[in-house]
Amino acid sequence: MATIEKYLLQDGATRYMVRYRKPDRTQTKKKGFKNQRDAKLFMATVEVDKASGTYIDPAKANVTVASLGPSWLERKQALKPSAYRPLEIAWRVHVEPVWGKWPIAEIVHTEVQAWVTKLSIGEAKATPAVKPKSATTVIRAYGVLAAILDDAVKDRRLQTNPARGVDLPRKTKKAHVFLSHEQIRDLADCSKYPALVRVLAYCGLRWGEATALRVQDVDMIRRRLNVNQNAVDVGGKIKVGTPKSHEQRSVPFPAFLAPAIGELCRGKHREDLVFPNPDGTYLRHIDMRERKSWFGSAVIDSGVPRVTPHDLRHTAASFAVSAGANVKAVQRMLGHSSAAMTLDVYAELFDDDLDGVAVALNEAVSRMNVP
């Protein structure tokens, strides 16, 4: 059982100390109680926590966020490089400088909320002034801190996570830009790599999937592009891995693209890239020698609405739907993890389908009323 002992400070003041055993049977103590009532209350709380299995060792709760963050990041290295790097940046830039020296037991909900709010609205009084961060940046930084504290709860360093339940900024959904067939023609004609622009716009490949295509991935007989790899620029270096969903897929390309794709594959080895840089390396949409985007220049020269290479996936989806493709076909073409995700992203493209449901229901009821 726990015991209470009285002791004196150097100035003669009376204090009380509680000696007790932890669940592992090792003895510890808690000093500094001003009266015996507070000491008894703490002793009773310890006994209840031990009996209910919710006891937290004060020594384990006294560790700092900085001592837990690096090991949490290390456990995230199994993620794709493009997913890991934003987490590492969020930790290094936003979380560690603010929370690194805090013992996790001293973090309170209101302090986390104040930090999130400050990131969201900026800090005009700071020197220099801190600009507001995007909702994506704020949510990612908060997520890193909350996940570290989640692990602390699982490791029995904390009873609850003080970061959970914080009000977060809302992401604003960027409006999709859908180009017409004529606009894609103009964009491709002004581009340094017209065949690549057309493949992005009519096949819906991600940039990294298209630039990672090798000759052996092209099936000219079935007119299919077999997506097996994804080449992503991470911190200025190209990292090659599996596609975003980790699943390989076969994407059809229209017959009018066959001559251009065939010409790009002509005379190459099976392992050669279909869309390489002039030196044979992975293509970037920014020309590293000229320090400007060849794709951006083509957008300006062609006069089409401002788009990125990734935005051409939206155009590919709109072309597929207008050609009569159902949601499952669009899902497979784009490599989404589920048809629900495709509907969430491109719900507006299926408005005609909803209208068709209403028309069909109306016709069914009308037939019932025919004498």
Side-chain angles (χ1 to χ4, degrees):
M1 292 291 294
T3 60
I4 299 176
E5 300 176 12
K6 181 169 67 173
Y7 66 97
L8 298 177
L9 300 178
Q10 291 183 350
D11 61 2
T14 301
R15 292 292 184 269
Y16 293 87
M17 173 177 62
V18 177
R19 291 185 183 275
Y20 64 95
R21 291 186 182 276
K22 297 185 288 187
D24 63 2
R25 308 303 297 167
T26 59
Q27 192 175 69
T28 188
K29 60 187 177 182
K30 172 72 173 177
K31 303 172 64 175
F33 297 101
K34 293 183 179 181
N35 53 64
Q36 196 172 30
R37 178 179 177 277
D38 290 344
K40 287 182 178 180
L41 181 61
F42 173 79
M43 183 173 67
T45 300
V46 168
E47 293 302 323
V48 170
D49 288 346
K50 287 165 59 177
S52 63
T54 59
Y55 173 80
I56 301 296
D57 188 341
K60 294 180 67 176
N62 200 40
V63 298
T64 63
V65 174
S67 67
L68 300 179
S71 59
W72 179 85
L73 273 177
E74 186 176 350
R75 293 192 294 275
K76 296 299 177 181
Q77 288 184 347
L79 295 172
K80 287 178 175 292
S82 57
Y84 173 80
R85 180 171 170 79
L87 298 179
E88 188 276 329
I89 292 174
W91 161 256
R92 175 166 43 85
V93 176
H94 299 296
V95 179
E96 198 277 337
V98 175
W99 297 103
K101 295 181 180 180
W102 279 66
I104 59 174
E106 295 182 13
I107 297 176
V108 294
H109 178 85
T110 53
E111 290 288 349
V112 179
Q113 181 67 75
W115 170 64
V116 167
T117 302
K118 186 180 293 185
L119 283 175
S120 302
I121 67 176
E123 192 174 8
K125 296 181 180 179
T127 305
V130 179
K131 294 182 179 180
K133 303 299 184 294
S134 69
T136 298
T137 298
V138 174
I139 292 170
R140 183 179 293 124
Y142 160 79
V144 170
L145 176 64
I148 291 171
L149 297 180
D150 277 341
D151 281 357
V153 173
K154 295 173 184 176
D155 290 344
R156 304 298 302 278
R157 296 181 182 275
L158 293 173
Q159 284 191 356
T160 60
N161 185 342
R164 291 304 176 188
V166 163
D167 294 328
L168 297 172
R170 289 189 177 186
K171 291 184 180 181
T172 55
K173 187 175 180 180
K174 180 183 175 183
H176 293 146
V177 178
F178 303 111
L179 300 185
S180 67
H181 293 285
E182 292 77 14
Q183 288 172 325
I184 293 298
R185 178 200 60 201
D186 295 342
L187 179 61
D189 289 345
C190 293
S191 168
K192 189 176 180 180
Y193 301 96
L196 175 57
V197 170
R198 291 188 173 95
V199 165
L200 294 174
Y202 287 99
C203 300
L205 271 60
R206 298 177 179 89
W207 172 266
E209 294 170 345
T211 57
L213 282 175
R214 298 183 181 276
V215 173
Q216 62 191 6
D217 299 323
V218 179
D219 186 339
M220 295 300 297
I221 297 176
R222 299 179 63 217
R223 292 203 303 272
R224 295 293 183 98
L225 301 176
N226 298 311
V227 179
N228 300 306
Q229 292 184 317
N230 191 28
V232 182
D233 189 332
V234 180
K237 296 182 179 179
I238 298 295
K239 302 289 185 179
V240 182
T242 58
K244 188 173 182 178
S245 61
H246 295 284
E247 292 186 4
Q248 300 174 353
R249 70 185 192 280
S250 180
V251 179
F253 60 86
F256 73 86
L257 286 179
I261 294 176
E263 186 61 31
L264 287 168
C265 297
R266 193 184 309 278
K268 291 182 178 179
H269 295 292
R270 287 174 50 81
E271 295 79 14
D272 290 341
L273 295 171
V274 177
F275 301 106
N277 265 322
D279 60 1
T281 58
Y282 289 98
L283 183 66
R284 304 170 189 259
H285 58 85
I286 295 179
D287 191 314
M288 302 304 290
R289 291 175 297 181
E290 300 181 7
R291 297 294 178 182
K292 67 178 183 179
S293 170
W294 61 263
F295 186 89
S297 298
V299 170
I300 295 172
D301 294 342
S302 63
V304 303
R306 185 176 179 180
V307 291
T308 66
H310 188 80
D311 289 335
L312 295 185
R313 275 169 61 80
H314 308 325
T315 294
S318 69
F319 287 163
V321 173
S322 64
N326 60 40
V327 64
K328 286 297 293 183
V330 177
Q331 173 209 343
R332 292 181 61 186
M333 181 181 77
L334 298 179
H336 286 164
S337 58
S338 67
M341 178 181 177
T342 304
L343 284 173
D344 286 342
V345 176
Y346 297 115
E348 71 267 37
L349 294 178
F350 294 92
D351 280 347
D352 289 344
D353 288 352
L354 293 177
D355 293 339
V357 171
V359 171
L361 291 173
N362 186 69
E363 291 177 351
V365 174
S366 297
R367 285 195 296 269
M368 290 175 57
N369 296 328
V370 174

